[in-house]
Structures are given as C-alpha cells and as structure tokens.
Amino acid sequence: MSPLVTLVSGPRTRLFACLLRLGSQQAGPLQLHTGASCAAKSHYEVLVLGGGTGGITMAARMKRKVGAENVAIVEPSERHFYQPIWTLVGAGAKQLSSSGRPTASVIPSGVEWIQARVVELNPDKDCIRTDNGKEVTIFLCALLQIKGLPEGFAHPKIGSNYSVKTVEKTWKALQDFKEGNAVFTFPNTPVKCAGAPQKIMYLSEAYFRKVGKRSKANIIFNTSLGGIFGVKKYADALQEIIRERNITVNYKQNLIEVRADKQEAVFENLDKPGETHVISYEMLHVTPPMSPPDVLKTSPVADAGGWVDVDKETLQHKRYPNVFGIGDCTNLPTSKTAAAAAAQSGILDKTISLVMKNQTPKKKYDGYTSCPLVTGYNRVILAEFDYNAQPLETFPFDQSKERLSMYLMKADLMPFLYWNMMLRGYWGGPAFLRNLFHLGMS
C-alpha cells in the first residue's frame, strides 16, 4: 500500500487533509518531523493533525482501512468538546460539563496520541513539522480584530457562545439583565454555524418572556450580512418570528469595538465605510470574526483566502492530487457545521478508498449542511440545504415550521449520535434516512 499521511484540524475546526503518495510502490516512508521530542515513531500511514470533530471521525474511518497501528493523532488539548450544544449552554438549558470529554476517551482505540501542535505543513515533501504547545486553535476566533476584546470579557454583561471560556458568561449576562438593549452580533467574516448568532437571540427573547422581563428588553440583532438567512424558505419563516416577537434587525452592521467599561458597542455601516454608531447595551453577545490559522494561511495547500483549496464535489485538493480536505478550514461553499462535516466524512471515506486503488472518485458531495435554528426552549426550525441554497430536507414534513420534535433532536439525539456514532466513524449524515422516507412516499 502507498504510504499515507492524513492531516486534520484542531478541536475548533474539523479540517482534514490527507496526503497520499501516488505512483511508485517503492517510495520511502513519509516523515513526521517534530520540533520537540515525543514518544512516537517518525512516520505513519495516516497522521491526523488535531483531535477535533473531523479529525477524530476520519481517524476512526482510516483505522478501519489501514489498521490502528498505522494511525496517529497530533492534538495538544486534554479535552474534546461538542460545540453545537453551547447554544443551549449559553441559554441555561444545558450544563457546560455535558459538552466535553477527555480527549483520550474519544481517540479510536489503538491509535497513537501525540500531544503536540502543528507548526508547518509541507505537502511538496509529504511532511509536517510539530512543536510542543498547550493549545491549538485551527479555526481561529480572532477576537483581537475587535477593539476592546478579549479583555472586555472580564466585565459583566458580555458573553460569547463561541468559546468554552465565555459561553457561561452569556448565561450570566442573561440572568443579570435588568432593563435596556440586548444586542447580538454577526461579524464580517465566515463563521462556524452561521445560524448560532441568532439562535441565542431567540432563546434570550424566550427567557425574558419566561421571567417577566420582555417589556423591559429591546432586542437588537446587528449583522454584517444583507439578509437574515441564506435559504429563502427558512428566511421567510424567521422573518415572521422576528416580526411577531418585535425584534429589531439591522443589516450591514459590523461590530468593530467594545467599550465594556461603559457598556457600549461600536458598529460600522458596511454600506458606508467609515460611518459608525454606538449602541449602549445591558447585555451583549459577541460572535467573533473567524479565519483559518496562520499555519494554514501560509501553507501551499491554501487558496488566496487562506482556506484549504479543494474540489467541492470530490473534496480532493485542486493543486495537490494527494491532498484532501473536509470541514471548516476548507473553501467549500457551504455552511461550516458539524452536520456538513458528517456528510463530508462519508464522501471523503469513499473518495480516499478509490484513490488508494488508483481509481477515480465517483461519489460527489452536494453541499449538504444543516442548521437546527433554535427559536425557543422547546422549538427548532430544522434547516437543511445544499450548495444551491435549496432545501434538502430529511423528514416528510415542512421543516420550516417550529417543532418540539426537532428541538428534542437538537438537544438530546444529536449529542448521542455525535459521541457514539460520528466520532466512531459510523455517521455520515442523514442521506440514508432521507432516501428511506422518500422511498416510502413514492
């Protein structure tokens, strides 16, 4: 078998890049160069960089192909988190402790765990370089792009569901709310789960109603985007909810500064660059600007924007035929969600299997992604769609309607599937369910 190196992202990304040497079977082993000593051999058939969602998932799948002894994971973090549940943690509906487990417990049995971080990727030489490190952030939440952050999180009234360090601050700010503006932001960059910034807004509105503070709360959603959601069917449903609940939405507004000591947020009008305005807040939820990490942006596998440059159907790299990608750090034109990574993992598994046999990949990724839009403590609109922003729904009913069943799936079923099936390489998305329902209706 040709030597195989697999590169994957860290706990916040789900990046998976695979280096597969094609051609001569006499090629030498791929070297893993480390900048610090570690108890590991110097080459593997599969090397996973980062123990995030995509990394663990693909390591489990690759283990079944090449054997556990030929797979290793490079990951410095002691704990692995199921981040989609942080929406509910920030609203007090789940405990933060339920979102994390020891990294050692999710790494596939027999696979070697190298506690280090990647500092260089060199696909031309089929190698990477590592160094010791305490933390890796592959999908970077670049809070320093906003003046006043992250130091502003030391003040009350402000939180973010996008970090394990700040998600509980969201719940504290929600509980401490007295009267005034509750402000929610969406940055002028790609983000993980583009629906999450407004999910916490709907949950906050529901909380205020529950505790009798709704009449004292002016709920404001300031988004850098030009619309509430990218798929018309779900956007129409959300607009109706916004109207019914008297929520103010301001488009093309980008958060550029937080004056936490004064409880003020400064926004720039993207339609009129340089024009700013200040909003006083009693509560502020920040969705931070995000980007790929420098180690990717400066590597040969990245496109001009710093994302891993892959074919959107096969997930094979456009310039390096022996490189593949999955998840948040790719330039796939679909929403960056755990559901997308699940669907991509099944496609990538089949793609790599064929490439290892010197065959052409046949299975094509259609851009499937999903966003369970939490609109209350017991309601979810389950948005599912493809590359063309067309609904690609699993269930035989209108998913643009708020439903208790979809909330229970989001809150209870999906975490179970994540820990027990996806991370073990047995969940590739709901395509088979969709086909089953559609066959039953035909």
Side-chain angles (χ1 to χ4, degrees), residues 277-332:
H277 70 281
V278 179
I279 298 180
S280 297
Y281 63 83
E282 169 68 4
M283 171 187 175
L284 176 64
H285 178 269
V286 177
T287 299
M290 303 178 197
S291 77
D294 289 340
V295 68
L296 280 182
K297 289 191 286 188
T298 59
S299 75
V301 302
D303 65 7
W307 308 97
V308 180
D309 194 15
V310 297
D311 182 276
K312 71 175 189 177
E313 293 183 335
T314 66
L315 310 185
Q316 188 171 28
H317 199 276
K318 292 179 181 178
R319 299 189 306 277
Y320 293 94
N322 62 331
V323 175
F324 306 85
I326 184 175
D328 292 351
C329 275
T330 67
N331 60 1
L332 295 170

Side-chain angles (χ1 to χ4, degrees), residues 87-88 90-91 93 161 170 174 182-186 194-210 214 217 219-223 227-230 234-249 251 283 285 371-381 383 400 402 407:
T87 288
L88 299 181
N161 288 354
T170 303
L174 193 54
V183 182
F184 305 83
T185 74
F186 191 110
Q198 59 181 295
K199 295 176 190 179
I200 186 59
M201 173 185 69
Y202 300 125
L203 283 163
S204 297
E205 192 276 339
Y207 178 79
F208 294 147
R209 279 190 280 117
K210 179 180 178 181
R214 182 61 183 92
I219 299 175
I220 302 171
F221 185 51
N222 272 18
T223 172
I228 196 65
F229 201 75
Y234 309 118
D236 289 346
L238 293 172
Q239 289 287 11
E240 183 64 20
I241 291 172
I242 289 168
R243 184 190 64 79
E244 291 177 350
R245 301 182 190 177
N246 193 27
I247 295 172
T248 299
V249 179
Y251 298 106
M283 171 187 175
H285 178 269
C371 182
L373 292 157
V374 184
T375 56
Y377 281 90
N378 58 4
R379 290 293 184 270
V380 157
I381 290 174
S400 68
E402 296 178 279
Y407 177 87

Side-chain angles (χ1 to χ4, degrees), residues 252-256 266-270 272-276:
K252 295 292 186 175
Q253 300 296 310
N254 185 42
L255 179 67
I256 60 172
V266 183
F267 294 87
E268 179 180 21
N269 184 347
L270 295 180
K272 297 179 180 179
E275 179 182 293
T276 63

Side-chain angles (χ1 to χ4, degrees), residues 57-299:
T57 300
M58 292 308 299
R61 288 176 178 270
M62 294 298 102
K63 169 188 170 181
R64 293 197 288 270
K65 293 188 185 301
V66 301
E69 70 279 4
N70 296 311
V71 182
I73 296 179
V74 182
E75 169 56 53
S77 301
E78 293 285 346
R79 292 188 67 77
H80 177 101
F81 292 98
Y82 176 60
Q83 295 179 41
I85 207 67
W86 286 351
T87 288
L88 299 181
V89 173
K94 291 286 184 179
Q95 295 296 313
L96 180 60
S97 59
S98 71
S99 71
R101 295 185 181 182
T103 298
S105 71
V106 298
I107 291 178
S109 61
V111 170
E112 185 163 3
W113 178 18
I114 303 171
Q115 286 193 267
R117 68 184 181 91
V118 179
V119 296
E120 182 182 354
L121 291 81
N122 192 337
D124 293 300
K125 294 183 179 180
D126 291 334
C127 71
I128 61 96
R129 186 167 59 89
T130 68
D131 202 350
N132 281 345
K134 295 181 179 180
E135 181 178 4
V136 62
T137 305
I138 298 297
F139 192 73
L140 187 63
C141 292
L143 290 172
L144 293 180
Q145 293 181 9
I146 300 175
K147 186 178 179 180
L149 294 179
E151 60 270 20
F153 285 113
H155 293 256
K157 311 292 186 180
I158 177 174
S160 176
N161 288 354
Y162 278 85
S163 169
V164 66
K165 297 178 180 179
T166 58
V167 62
E168 290 182 307
K169 292 180 181 291
T170 303
W171 175 227
K172 184 68 165 58
L174 193 54
Q175 291 176 296
D176 291 345
F177 185 92
K178 293 181 175 60
E179 182 175 5
N181 294 328
V183 182
F184 305 83
T185 74
F186 191 110
N188 192 27
T189 67
V191 299
K192 297 180 59 161
C193 188
Q198 59 181 295
K199 295 176 190 179
I200 186 59
M201 173 185 69
Y202 300 125
L203 283 163
S204 297
E205 192 276 339
Y207 178 79
F208 294 147
R209 279 190 280 117
K210 179 180 178 181
V211 298
K213 294 182 179 179
R214 182 61 183 92
S215 62
K216 298 179 180 180
N218 181 29
I219 299 175
I220 302 171
F221 185 51
N222 272 18
T223 172
S224 64
L225 302 178
I228 196 65
F229 201 75
V231 181
K232 185 179 185 304
K233 177 177 182 177
Y234 309 118
D236 289 346
L238 293 172
Q239 289 287 11
E240 183 64 20
I241 291 172
I242 289 168
R243 184 190 64 79
E244 291 177 350
R245 301 182 190 177
N246 193 27
I247 295 172
T248 299
V249 179
N250 299 312
Y251 298 106
K252 295 292 186 175
Q253 300 296 310
N254 185 42
L255 179 67
I256 60 172
E257 182 181 358
V258 175
R259 301 167 183 167
D261 56 334
K262 299 179 181 179
Q263 291 180 212
E264 293 179 344
V266 183
F267 294 87
E268 179 180 21
N269 184 347
L270 295 180
D271 284 333
K272 297 179 180 179
E275 179 182 293
T276 63
H277 70 281
V278 179
I279 298 180
S280 297
Y281 63 83
E282 169 68 4
M283 171 187 175
L284 176 64
H285 178 269
V286 177
T287 299
M290 303 178 197
S291 77
D294 289 340
V295 68
L296 280 182
K297 289 191 286 188
T298 59
S299 75

